[in-house]
Amino acid sequence: MAVNTLDADGGGAAGSWILACDYCNWTTLDINVEFDKPTNVFAQVAKLKQDRIGRTMSKRSTEIEEPLDALPTVDPAAKFEALKAFYKSQLSSTTTINPLMSPSGEFNYNSPSSLTRIMNLYTGTGSYGKKTPSKPSNMRESADSSEGLSLVDPEVDQAAIRKMQSRGWQGTASTAQQTEQVYPVRFLDDLWPVPTLLRTKKAKRCRSCRHILVKPETKIQSTRYKLKLTANSYVPNLTLKPLQGPSVAPVNLESLPASKPTQFLLVVKNPLFVPIKVTLATPAQTPGRFPSHVTMLCPQFEIGANLDVWDDALGAEVGKRSSKLLKVKPANGQSEGRIAEAGKVWDVGGNWTTVVVEVVCARIQTQEGGLEEDEDVLEIPVFVRTEFEAEVTETGSKGDSAKEKRELAYWCVLGIGRIETTQG
């Protein structure tokens, strides 16, 4: 909820303020609550709530006929504090001195003096072992409201029934609203704004390199987190698309031809700002009941470092420049009469490289039982291994940094399409 002013000019340094919800359009004016200032709202809510309960109790003491809106209520927090103070005074006056009791009224078993007193109790030495047992005095219960006594008043239930009859179901608090309140309530006008619970903010580090992965903001009012070193910033991006050209028949990904070699272009993009060396590995046959043959024509290659934003915007020109330097003709997915060769990349860009993957799909014949769900989907498991050099600040050095080789390896699955089926 947001704090808004009731003044027309919007300045309102000395005006009235309210809490408003932009989602359900509820405001504190619905419960006749206004604030003097936009800060320290929690303390103002507690004070207004206490004053309202005090006025209700004074009406009840003078026996003035109350309307349906005013029910005889008692602040649960004040009743609990009174009851706690009463029992604490009774325990201190009726309980005999315990050798294990600390001056603050709590048990202490860790101090050496407490251990000595325990030994004296069992050995019979010391002043505590010679005490004669005395009959403890009876502890009385609370006698009035100042000591936390709460009597059952039939008028409270009768007033609640009358109020429920007049307001109906719309004026009754729902289960979700009742659970959010600190103390139980029945009606909508008994609801009070609940402060946001404090939560522990923790920063997380990587176990291997000790870099900060997630770090919360230091402001108490803020709940945002700063994400650093996410996986997307380190893992290369793999994209697979069919090889197209004048001499290549178009490929329908919904019905891949069986028992025929089909070539695809695998684009590997480097997200790091340093060059990397990539090694790709695939099984000779895909797992499943209908294995397809997979061949990676160029399993090892290098990719340049990631470029800045301006170079990414001029990606086409950069791709042409880098391809020219490496003597590779950019194809952009078009074969233009080229033939894929083993051990050679297909295309190279600033921070990306394209290689050719050849797939021979298995022949699938449907029987009487049919196929299981997505059994005709062609998925290729690929093991990706990257090597790169990262700067590491040496311990004890004055800002000097050294380079060390790092390795990142992971498995992924590339989904291509569905294999055509024939009737068996």
Side-chain angles (χ1 to χ4, degrees), residues 206-375:
C206 179
R207 292 185 178 181
S208 58
C209 63
R210 304 306 299 170
H211 278 84
I212 297 177
L213 302 178
V214 179
K215 184 177 182 181
E217 292 188 355
T218 56
K219 296 181 180 180
I220 300 178
Q221 298 86 355
S222 177
T223 57
R224 294 184 299 178
Y225 282 80
K226 296 180 180 179
L227 301 180
K228 299 182 179 180
L229 303 179
T230 57
N232 292 332
S233 302
Y234 279 80
V235 177
N237 184 18
L238 305 182
T239 305
L240 196 66
K241 56 185 178 181
L243 178 61
Q244 301 176 359
S247 60
V248 180
V251 178
N252 184 12
L253 297 180
E254 294 296 330
S255 179
L256 296 173
S259 303
K260 296 172 82 173
T262 306
Q263 293 183 344
F264 297 89
L265 296 180
L266 178 61
V267 183
V268 185
K269 188 175 181 180
N270 177 23
L272 301 179
F273 295 97
V274 293
I276 62 174
K277 182 179 180 181
V278 181
T279 302
L280 302 178
T282 59
Q285 294 181 350
T286 59
R289 193 155 61 110
F290 305 101
S292 301
H293 296 272
V294 182
T295 303
M296 192 77 62
L297 297 186
C298 185
Q300 292 184 352
F301 50 89
E302 295 183 359
I303 306 178
N306 189 12
L307 308 175
D308 55 13
V309 179
W310 294 107
D311 291 336
D312 287 340
L314 303 174
E317 297 181 2
V318 173
K320 293 180 181 178
R321 182 170 62 253
S322 59
S323 301
K324 184 178 180 181
L325 294 176
L326 295 174
K327 297 181 180 180
V328 177
K329 185 178 181 181
N332 297 327
Q334 302 291 336
S335 64
E336 297 181 358
R338 295 176 56 190
I339 299 176
E341 300 179 10
K344 293 185 178 180
V345 298
W346 181 263
D347 196 6
V348 177
N351 65 324
W352 53 271
T353 299
T354 304
V355 295
V356 179
V357 181
E358 188 175 271
V359 180
V360 179
C361 298
R363 183 178 297 275
I364 301 178
Q365 295 181 354
T366 57
Q367 304 294 333
E368 294 181 358
L371 298 175
E372 297 181 0
E373 184 180 1
D374 293 339
E375 196 174 11

Side-chain angles (χ1 to χ4, degrees), residues 27-47:
T27 64
T28 52
L29 292 177
D30 297 342
I31 57 176
N32 299 325
V33 172
E34 299 180 6
F35 304 103
D36 299 332
K37 53 184 179 180
T39 59
N40 200 8
V41 177
F42 177 73
Q44 296 185 67
V45 169
K47 183 179 179 181

Side-chain angles (χ1 to χ4, degrees), residues 2-312:
V3 182
N4 299 329
T5 180
L6 293 177
D7 293 345
D9 54 357
S16 300
W17 301 80
I18 59 173
L19 283 175
C21 179
D22 298 333
Y23 179 76
C24 62
N25 296 327
W26 180 88
T27 64
T28 52
L29 292 177
D30 297 342
I31 57 176
N32 299 325
V33 172
E34 299 180 6
F35 304 103
D36 299 332
K37 53 184 179 180
T39 59
N40 200 8
V41 177
F42 177 73
Q44 296 185 67
V45 169
K47 183 179 179 181
L48 291 172
K49 186 176 181 181
Q50 187 66 27
D51 294 343
R52 181 171 297 184
I53 293 177
R55 290 196 300 268
T56 304
M57 295 301 296
S58 63
K59 280 185 178 183
R60 184 184 177 187
S61 61
T62 54
E63 297 182 356
I64 299 177
E65 186 178 357
E66 301 175 357
L68 293 177
D69 295 344
L71 293 178
T73 57
V74 180
D75 187 10
K79 186 177 70 171
F80 175 77
E81 292 296 333
L83 198 62
K84 179 181 177 182
F86 167 74
Y87 279 115
K88 189 174 182 179
S89 62
Q90 288 294 308
L91 289 174
S92 61
S93 61
T94 58
T95 307
T96 57
I97 300 176
N98 194 323
L100 303 180
M101 188 76 72
S102 63
S104 61
E106 300 177 355
F107 287 95
N108 186 10
Y109 299 97
N110 299 326
S111 64
S113 59
S114 298
L115 296 178
T116 304
R117 292 171 183 174
I118 294 176
M119 295 302 297
N120 292 337
L121 288 175
Y122 287 98
T123 58
T125 59
S127 59
Y128 300 103
K130 298 179 181 179
K131 279 191 173 183
T132 57
S134 59
K135 184 178 180 180
S137 58
N138 295 328
M139 184 176 63
R140 70 179 183 86
E141 298 293 339
S142 57
D144 52 12
S145 59
S146 62
E147 297 177 350
L149 178 64
S150 179
L151 298 177
V152 178
D153 191 356
E155 182 61 25
V156 176
D157 295 335
Q158 294 297 329
I161 293 174
R162 293 194 301 268
K163 188 173 182 180
M164 192 177 300
Q165 292 175 349
S166 62
R167 298 290 180 86
W169 178 258
Q170 294 77 10
T172 307
S174 63
T175 305
Q177 293 172 336
Q178 294 179 11
T179 54
E180 292 293 335
Q181 296 292 314
V182 181
Y183 298 103
V185 295
R186 292 182 179 178
F187 303 97
L188 291 179
D189 53 3
D190 295 334
L191 298 176
W192 286 83
V194 179
T196 304
L197 299 179
L198 298 179
R199 297 183 181 273
T200 304
K201 295 183 177 181
K202 294 182 180 180
K204 294 186 178 181
R205 294 178 177 267
C206 179
R207 292 185 178 181
S208 58
C209 63
R210 304 306 299 170
H211 278 84
I212 297 177
L213 302 178
V214 179
K215 184 177 182 181
E217 292 188 355
T218 56
K219 296 181 180 180
I220 300 178
Q221 298 86 355
S222 177
T223 57
R224 294 184 299 178
Y225 282 80
K226 296 180 180 179
L227 301 180
K228 299 182 179 180
L229 303 179
T230 57
N232 292 332
S233 302
Y234 279 80
V235 177
N237 184 18
L238 305 182
T239 305
L240 196 66
K241 56 185 178 181
L243 178 61
Q244 301 176 359
S247 60
V248 180
V251 178
N252 184 12
L253 297 180
E254 294 296 330
S255 179
L256 296 173
S259 303
K260 296 172 82 173
T262 306
Q263 293 183 344
F264 297 89
L265 296 180
L266 178 61
V267 183
V268 185
K269 188 175 181 180
N270 177 23
L272 301 179
F273 295 97
V274 293
I276 62 174
K277 182 179 180 181
V278 181
T279 302
L280 302 178
T282 59
Q285 294 181 350
T286 59
R289 193 155 61 110
F290 305 101
S292 301
H293 296 272
V294 182
T295 303
M296 192 77 62
L297 297 186
C298 185
Q300 292 184 352
F301 50 89
E302 295 183 359
I303 306 178
N306 189 12
L307 308 175
D308 55 13
V309 179
W310 294 107
D311 291 336
D312 287 340

